[in-house]
Amino acid sequence: MRMRSGHFVMADKGWPGCAKSLKGVILDMCGVLYDSGEGDGVAIPGSIEAVRRLKESDLQLRFCTNETQATREKFVAKLQRLGFDISASEVFPPAPAAIAVLKDRSLRPHLLVHDGLLPEFDGVDKTNPNCVIIGDAAEHFSYQNLNEAFRVLIGLEKPVLFSLGQGKYYKETDGLKLDVGVYMKALEYACDLKAEVIGKPSPTFFQSVLNDMGLQSHEALMIGDDLLNDVGGAQHCGMKGVQVRTGKYRPSDERHPTVMADGTVDNLAQAVELILNQRRR
Amino acid sequence: MRMRSGHFVMADKGWPGCAKSLKGVILDMCGVLYDSGEGDGVAIPGSIEAVRRLKESDLQLRFCTNETQATREKFVAKLQRLGFDISASEVFPPAPAAIAVLKDRSLRPHLLVHDGLLPEFDGVDKTNPNCVIIGDAAEHFSYQNLNEAFRVLIGLEKPVLFSLGQGKYYKETDGLKLDVGVYMKALEYACDLKAEVIGKPSPTFFQSVLNDMGLQSHEALMIGDDLLNDVGGAQHCGMKGVQVRTGKYRPSDERHPTVMADGTVDNLAQAVELILNQRRR
């Protein structure tokens, strides 16, 4: 009974014991709710029902994503087509946060982003750019486009690079794909600068979601498939972080040298089952 | 007369006083001899004559380049068309050095290099690759090709990445272009690894040129347009390093926080003039 008694000692701090005192849950989207790929991608089994169960509970629910291939509206519409009960006001992607920063600092961006994201920046002055914003541009990360962004940066007296996330790669239905963070590192090296990350794991970004729920960090739990950006980022802000074994999860994540998830579960459905069970006790 | 007497104190150690005791000179090529661009590019004024003068002197002369867009033979043929008296045996590019490393360690490469470099690897076994080699692939650095290299690396138990140089950018006639180092950093970040650099500024690479001349490092001088890879790399090996104000040179190089050239000259012609004058004294 040793393990079980150990479990009880940790009951109100560890996972899943901590679920009892939670007030809100933040979900990553790609790799947790669905796998992206051709068309809309595919829902991960059990995740549509898991979101419904969370919504029916007394927990607040928000979605925090580094998705930058579409506007928030089109992105949410896709999730709805897949069967998820999600509305735009519950979803926090990097682009709207970036636009707020641009306004705040009177910056005019050169954009290296996916075509689908461009409408989000329709009202933004992009003439004579004095900063560069990169998102998950995928096929648009051509040699020519990266050169163009580089030339804008190297031509500025004080180059400013914003990266919408810093993910290394993500999983589509046909395999792993390089993410924006890889190109952020490329431009950082080329221009001898440090990018400002807008999106996970930026503490400012997580904080804006907590603010929206009116919660403190210890009252919220983040569930994601990315050990560094979801789990590590949330923990860095004082939240609990649980990793799902779907999406970009790799077994080696469970023996990472610096980041350890508070819990690891097979998928979102299992995480929600554990949370709701715990709260019923 | 203070400056002049200061000059005499440094005469046999500093630049250009050190030229008196030199036994060999190593020249970078792109940005020193010529600017690349459409077709063969253009010779930098005075550089053809400067190479001729060095060859007529008692100094040994070698060319050390991170050029990886063509085989050594085709590359040298281009230089000859531009008017330079250079033969293949005097030129040290990264690819032949890489092939030696592959043989030595029984590695089979996945190549992400310029089409022009492929024939150099004709005799190399590339089936079931257990390492990745990247060179200055230019337009071939597409999202798809970088993904492909990434997937090979992430699929290996012990991923090995060789980078033919680690340059940030170079200058073509129509502007600055991103170099292989930028993509090296991208893959390093994506796969959580450290690439092995073959080419400048790798000490092994500089040493192979010194060995070919039968010289010790203090007997040789490197002249290049790249402060970090030519000048810093050579200095790291115990050579003197002089920067030319042609090619990718930028005024900020002269106030770099960590690397200071032993001398800075307007171009190769001026460097050679100073060297030969010094040796006549």
Side-chain angles (χ1 to χ4, degrees):
Chain A
M1 296 296 282
R2 211 148 39 100
M3 284 182 67
R4 194 159 170 84
S5 83
H7 173 77
F8 277 116
V9 171
M10 297 289 288
D12 46 355
K13 283 196 172 178
W15 164 261
C18 65
K20 229 175 161 62
S21 58
L22 281 181
K23 295 188 178 169
V25 171
I26 305 175
L27 300 184
D28 175 37
M29 303 181 81
C30 181
V32 175
L33 303 183
Y34 73 105
D35 281 321
S36 63
E38 286 299 304
D40 288 342
V42 290
I44 291 170
S47 60
I48 294 171
E49 170 74 5
V51 168
R52 196 187 53 71
R53 291 184 72 191
L54 281 174
K55 285 215 159 179
E56 288 170 3
S57 77
D58 57 344
L59 287 162
Q60 292 203 61
L61 180 61
R62 296 292 185 279
F63 301 88
C64 189
T65 174
N66 277 2
E67 162 67 37
T68 58
Q69 289 205 353
T71 62
R72 173 157 51 181
E73 283 189 0
K74 289 216 166 175
F75 177 59
V76 170
K78 176 176 90 169
L79 272 289
Q80 290 168 345
R81 281 196 301 275
L82 286 172
F84 290 97
D85 173 18
I86 296 177
S87 64
S89 63
E90 299 164 321
V91 176
F92 290 75
I99 289 168
V101 171
L102 292 174
K103 278 190 185 144
D104 195 45
R105 289 162 57 180
S106 302
L107 291 169
R108 300 175 306 277
H110 169 89
L111 300 173
L112 175 47
V113 300
H114 199 278
D115 274 352
L117 192 68
L118 287 174
E120 199 87 77
F121 292 88
D122 269 350
V124 173
D125 181 8
K126 294 177 281 286
T127 56
N128 191 17
N130 54 8
C131 71
V132 168
I133 296 183
I134 59 171
D136 172 18
E139 273 70 22
H140 285 262
F141 278 130
S142 64
Y143 183 65
Q144 195 187 322
N145 287 348
L146 204 66
N147 254 315
E148 213 178 306
F150 160 68
R151 288 177 185 181
V152 170
L153 286 170
I154 206 87
L156 295 171
E157 204 187 335
K158 287 185 182 172
V160 177
L161 172 64
F162 294 105
S163 185
L164 304 182
Q166 61 175 29
K168 296 179 172 194
Y169 53 86
Y170 51 89
K171 194 187 163 197
E172 295 217 326
T173 42
D174 60 343
L176 298 177
K177 301 263 172 105
L178 290 169
D179 199 359
V180 64
V182 168
Y183 292 89
M184 174 190 84
K185 287 290 169 187
L187 288 174
E188 283 188 345
Y189 178 69
C191 305
D192 232 337
L193 56 76
K194 186 97 186 100
E196 301 181 35
V197 176
I198 300 177
K200 297 176 287 183
S202 154
T204 321
F205 193 64
F206 281 117
Q207 194 56 54
S208 69
V209 185
L210 288 170
N211 291 349
D212 190 65
M213 295 194 284
L215 297 184
Q216 292 192 287
S217 60
H218 69 270
E219 299 171 318
L221 169 77
M222 172 81 205
I223 303 176
D225 65 331
D226 187 317
L227 184 70
L228 300 179
N229 293 302
D230 295 328
V231 173
Q235 289 175 335
H236 188 70
C237 289
M239 286 186 259
K240 293 273 186 266
V242 165
Q243 190 180 20
V244 288
R245 294 194 186 93
T246 54
K248 78 178 71 168
Y249 163 86
R250 300 173 78 214
S252 59
D253 289 345
E254 296 190 51
R255 39 179 204 276
H256 192 276
T258 57
V259 178
M260 192 169 78
D262 291 286
T264 309
V265 293
D266 287 343
N267 49 43
L268 179 63
Q270 191 184 62
V272 170
E273 177 71 21
L274 285 166
I275 290 169
L276 298 183
N277 267 348
Q278 200 64 224
R279 296 174 71 80
R280 263 186 236 114
R281 290 188 176 194
Chain B
M1 295 297 282
R2 210 147 39 97
M3 283 182 68
R4 193 160 170 84
S5 83
H7 174 76
F8 277 115
V9 171
M10 297 290 288
D12 45 355
K13 282 195 173 177
W15 164 261
C18 65
K20 226 174 163 61
S21 57
L22 282 182
K23 294 188 177 169
V25 171
I26 306 175
L27 299 185
D28 175 37
M29 304 181 80
C30 181
V32 175
L33 303 184
Y34 72 104
D35 281 321
S36 63
E38 287 298 304
D40 289 342
V42 290
I44 292 171
S47 60
I48 295 171
E49 170 73 4
V51 168
R52 197 187 52 72
R53 291 183 72 190
L54 281 175
K55 285 215 160 178
E56 287 169 3
S57 77
D58 58 345
L59 287 163
Q60 291 203 61
L61 180 61
R62 296 291 186 279
F63 301 89
C64 188
T65 174
N66 277 3
E67 161 67 36
T68 59
Q69 288 205 353
T71 62
R72 173 158 48 182
E73 282 188 3
K74 288 216 166 176
F75 177 59
V76 170
K78 175 176 93 170
L79 272 288
Q80 289 168 346
R81 281 196 300 276
L82 287 172
F84 291 96
D85 173 18
I86 295 177
S87 64
S89 63
E90 297 164 323
V91 176
F92 291 76
I99 290 168
V101 171
L102 293 174
K103 279 191 185 143
D104 195 44
R105 289 161 59 180
S106 302
L107 291 169
R108 299 175 306 277
H110 170 89
L111 299 173
L112 175 46
V113 300
H114 198 279
D115 274 352
L117 193 68
L118 286 175
E120 199 87 76
F121 290 88
D122 269 351
V124 173
D125 181 8
K126 294 178 280 285
T127 55
N128 190 19
N130 53 8
C131 71
V132 168
I133 295 182
I134 59 171
D136 171 18
E139 274 69 22
H140 285 262
F141 278 129
S142 64
Y143 183 64
Q144 195 187 321
N145 287 348
L146 204 66
N147 254 316
E148 213 179 306
F150 161 68
R151 288 178 184 180
V152 170
L153 286 170
I154 206 87
L156 295 172
E157 204 187 334
K158 287 185 183 171
V160 177
L161 172 63
F162 294 105
S163 185
L164 304 183
Q166 62 175 28
K168 297 180 172 194
Y169 53 86
Y170 51 88
K171 195 187 162 200
E172 295 215 328
T173 44
D174 60 343
L176 298 177
K177 301 265 172 104
L178 290 169
D179 199 0
V180 63
V182 168
Y183 292 90
M184 174 190 84
K185 287 290 168 186
L187 288 174
E188 283 188 344
Y189 178 70
C191 305
D192 233 336
L193 57 77
K194 187 98 186 98
E196 301 180 35
V197 176
I198 299 178
K200 298 176 286 183
S202 154
T204 321
F205 193 64
F206 281 117
Q207 194 56 53
S208 70
V209 185
L210 288 170
N211 290 349
D212 190 65
M213 295 194 284
L215 297 184
Q216 292 192 288
S217 61
H218 69 270
E219 299 170 317
L221 169 76
M222 173 83 205
I223 302 175
D225 66 331
D226 187 318
L227 184 70
L228 300 179
N229 293 303
D230 294 328
V231 173
Q235 289 175 335
H236 188 70
C237 289
M239 286 185 260
K240 291 275 185 268
V242 164
Q243 190 181 20
V244 287
R245 293 194 187 93
T246 54
K248 78 179 69 169
Y249 162 86
R250 299 173 79 213
S252 59
D253 289 344
E254 295 189 50
R255 39 180 202 274
H256 192 276
T258 56
V259 178
M260 190 170 78
D262 291 286
T264 310
V265 292
D266 287 343
N267 49 44
L268 179 63
Q270 191 185 62
V272 170
E273 178 69 21
L274 285 166
I275 291 168
L276 298 183
N277 267 348
Q278 200 64 224
R279 295 175 71 81
R280 263 187 234 112
R281 290 187 176 196

